[in-house]
Amino acid sequence: MRWRLAGVSAGLTLAILVLFGVIVGNLAAQRIRDDFNHEMKGAVATLASQVQIVDTITNTLIVREPDLGDFVSPNDASVRIYDSQGRELDSSPNAAELGPPVPGIRDIGEMQVVTVALRSRQTGRIAGFVQYGRDEQHVDSTVGRLWLLIAAGVLGATLLASLAGVAIARRAMRPIASLTATARTIADTGDPSSHMPQPRVEDEVGELARTLERMLRSLDAARAEREAALKRQREFVADASHELRTPLTSILANLELLQASLDEPAREDERAMVDSALRSSSRMSRLVGDLLLLARADAGRIGARTRCDLAEVAGNAAAEVAPTIGERELRIENERPLPVDGNPDELHRMVLNLLDNAARHTPPGSRIELRLRAEGTSAVVEVADDGPGVPAELREQIFERFVRSDGPADTAIGGGSGLGLAIVSAVARSHGGSAEAGESDLGGALFRVRLPLRTSKSERGINPALDPL
């Protein structure tokens, strides 16, 4: 914008100055030529007044004239004097060829020649002619220098106008540049609580700044209202999920008691109905537990953290899932204890979901490996298998909620809720870690979770004698 304004300013200045220069140059050049012509006419008139021609009865011409050399020397001119028959009577030293004596003004080569007739005082007849000529080259040179000066002035003025236009445009665009920088910062940070620069003058830019400021305040208020609504929604889901666990636990307990009381063969139909209700209630209980965990993570309700061994937690989860994996082979690679600060129940659920996901999406006879190791300051949990794997286009969104990847290798009875890997990601993030999916060295899927290792007391700069842990 600054350069466009400067360019427009320079273009308009150049156009105006060119037009003005053409007009002034033509007028000045015409004035120079008019002065030259006037000077020529005056010089020949002066010379003619000083030349005396006497016409006698014997037709003898007697010419009395000034010294022609002294007359023409100041202007490097040429003078020739003729009688009425066109015969040359006299000329200045080194006079140039001025052509035939024809009264008037003519151009002979590069010279301008003025010819006047001389009349006899006795008879009034034309008795001779006087020619006065001067080279026009110095006039053309003067006019050329004039045009050169005008062109230099136009270009210099245009350059100065361009510099002034750039400076003025930069000064005029400075408030807009400040508004642009602030808007870019807000776009990068996504924080509409920032304020636009306050305008110093009451103009269009100031009105724009105030309009943008009002827009930001409206957006900030809308965002605050939306975040408050989302927070209330998350808290409601968390509280509702927590409250649902109690009646579900009671329902499960009563169904289990009812199931135990229906051992008679005659009551097999009733027992089948109770078994179905018990399975549905168990599935509902797991779903409510998943929702509770995710809702607490969304609401920022961090569970109690304590020092625990991630390797031990993962081993317990593997022991729990081992009876449910059927004909699949489960291998555990555990190098050493992995101390972390975390919630044991949530970490147990994270590893359990990874193993359950691997068992669900691999055919019988597959191999599942649970690998635990330390890498630098991170504890790494990997679950790899030799099943069909995860499609590359699904790896970015597989940790989102309610994303399912059903295929021919799925062997679990009933479809999943689509929350298992979302819980893995939520638990990893809440513990300061991350979760990712890829391809394993076994040819199937690989899920990797990284969590920060618990640093020793000496590494944290704590006096072991003062640390109760």
Side-chain angles (χ1 to χ4, degrees):
M1 180 66 76
R2 291 196 299 266
W3 292 110
R4 285 199 295 269
L5 290 176
V8 170
S9 175
L12 290 176
T13 302
L14 179 61
I16 293 173
L17 290 178
V18 167
L19 179 61
F20 180 76
V22 169
I23 295 174
V24 172
N26 286 327
L27 292 177
Q30 186 62 40
R31 179 61 181 270
I32 291 173
R33 296 189 182 279
D34 290 343
D35 290 344
F36 178 74
N37 294 334
H38 182 72
E39 186 178 347
M40 291 279 291
K41 292 179 181 178
V44 75
T46 301
L47 179 60
S49 66
Q50 295 181 9
V51 175
Q52 298 180 8
I53 300 179
V54 180
D55 186 4
T56 63
I57 298 176
T58 60
N59 294 325
T60 301
L61 293 177
I62 301 175
V63 180
R64 297 182 180 89
E65 58 187 30
D67 188 348
L68 295 181
D70 294 339
F71 187 84
V72 300
S73 60
N75 296 317
D76 195 19
S78 296
V79 174
R80 293 183 183 273
I81 300 176
Y82 298 89
D83 62 9
S84 61
Q85 301 301 319
R87 294 186 297 267
E88 185 177 319
L89 301 177
D90 197 3
S91 64
S92 61
N94 301 320
E97 178 61 37
L98 302 180
V102 179
I105 301 176
R106 293 181 303 164
D107 289 330
I108 304 297
E110 295 182 354
M111 299 186 67
Q112 188 177 66
V113 179
V114 179
T115 303
V116 296
L118 300 176
R119 295 184 179 275
S120 173
R121 294 180 180 179
Q122 287 78 14
T123 64
R125 294 179 301 173
I126 295 177
F129 301 93
V130 175
Q131 283 185 326
Y132 182 83
R134 285 178 60 183
D135 195 344
E136 291 182 303
Q137 185 176 2
H138 74 282
V139 177
D140 295 335
S141 177
T142 301
V143 173
R145 288 194 299 270
L146 172 66
W147 283 113
L148 183 61
L149 290 175
I150 291 176
V154 169
L155 294 178
T158 302
L159 179 60
L160 292 177
S162 300
L163 296 177
V166 170
I168 295 173
R170 182 177 299 171
R171 182 179 179 87
M173 296 299 294
R174 191 176 300 156
I176 296 180
S178 179
L179 294 177
T180 302
T182 304
R184 185 180 295 111
T185 301
I186 294 173
D188 294 338
T189 60
D191 181 17
S193 61
S194 302
H195 293 274
M196 285 292 176
Q198 294 298 321
R200 297 182 180 179
V201 293
E202 297 292 333
D203 56 6
E204 290 80 1
V205 177
E207 181 64 24
L208 174 62
R210 287 188 292 271
T211 302
L212 291 176
E213 180 66 20
R214 290 195 295 269
M215 181 188 69
L216 285 177
R217 300 287 68 79
S218 299
L219 291 176
D220 192 26
R223 187 189 70 163
E225 182 179 354
R226 184 181 68 254
E227 289 182 350
L230 289 175
K231 183 179 179 181
R232 290 193 299 269
Q233 180 181 0
R234 295 189 188 105
E235 292 178 348
F236 168 76
V237 172
D239 294 338
S241 300
H242 178 73
E243 293 299 327
L244 285 173
R245 297 185 70 183
T246 301
L248 281 174
T249 303
S250 176
I251 292 173
L252 286 172
N254 291 327
L255 287 175
E256 289 173 354
L257 291 175
L258 182 58
Q259 183 186 44
S261 65
L262 298 176
D263 291 336
E264 295 82 358
R267 308 184 70 177
E268 289 182 359
D269 293 340
E270 297 177 359
R271 181 181 177 85
M273 289 186 291
V274 172
D275 291 343
S276 176
L278 187 59
R279 286 193 300 270
S280 299
S281 299
S282 298
R283 185 169 180 271
M284 186 183 299
S285 179
R286 289 193 300 271
L287 181 59
V288 169
D290 293 344
L291 291 175
L292 176 60
L293 194 152
L294 291 174
R296 284 177 175 174
D298 291 341
R301 298 183 182 180
I302 301 176
R305 298 288 189 263
T306 183
R307 180 176 60 185
C308 60
D309 183 6
L310 181 59
E312 181 182 356
V313 172
N316 294 335
E320 181 178 339
V321 79
T324 66
I325 63 174
E327 300 176 2
R328 298 165 185 83
E329 178 186 0
L330 176 61
R331 295 183 180 181
I332 302 176
E333 298 179 6
N334 187 2
E335 297 179 353
R336 61 181 179 85
L338 300 174
V340 296
D341 287 323
N343 187 297
D345 294 335
E346 294 179 0
L347 296 176
H348 179 92
R349 185 61 175 278
M350 178 187 74
V351 179
L352 191 67
N353 284 3
L354 288 174
L355 294 173
D356 181 71
N357 180 77
R360 176 182 292 272
H361 295 284
T362 55
S366 301
R367 184 172 64 179
I368 302 173
E369 292 185 359
L370 172 62
R371 306 166 183 171
L372 298 103
R373 66 180 185 276
E375 286 186 0
T377 59
S378 298
V380 179
V381 180
E382 290 182 349
V383 175
D385 60 61
D386 58 358
V390 181
E393 64 275 8
L394 195 62
R395 293 173 186 172
E396 295 295 330
Q397 57 180 343
I398 198 168
F399 291 102
E400 297 178 5
R401 300 173 189 182
F402 304 108
V403 174
R404 298 180 178 88
S405 178
D406 299 331
D410 296 345
T411 57
I413 299 176
S417 64
L419 297 176
L421 293 179
I423 291 176
V424 171
S425 179
V427 172
R429 288 197 309 268
S430 67
H431 285 75
S434 62
E436 60 184 359
E439 183 179 355
S440 72
D441 53 355
L442 302 178
L446 172 67
F447 292 91
R448 180 183 296 114
V449 175
R450 296 181 184 272
L451 300 178
L453 282 170
R454 177 183 174 87
T455 56
S456 64
K457 298 174 183 178
S458 59
E459 292 175 344
R460 289 179 289 149
I462 301 176
N463 188 344
L466 299 179
D467 190 352
L469 295 179

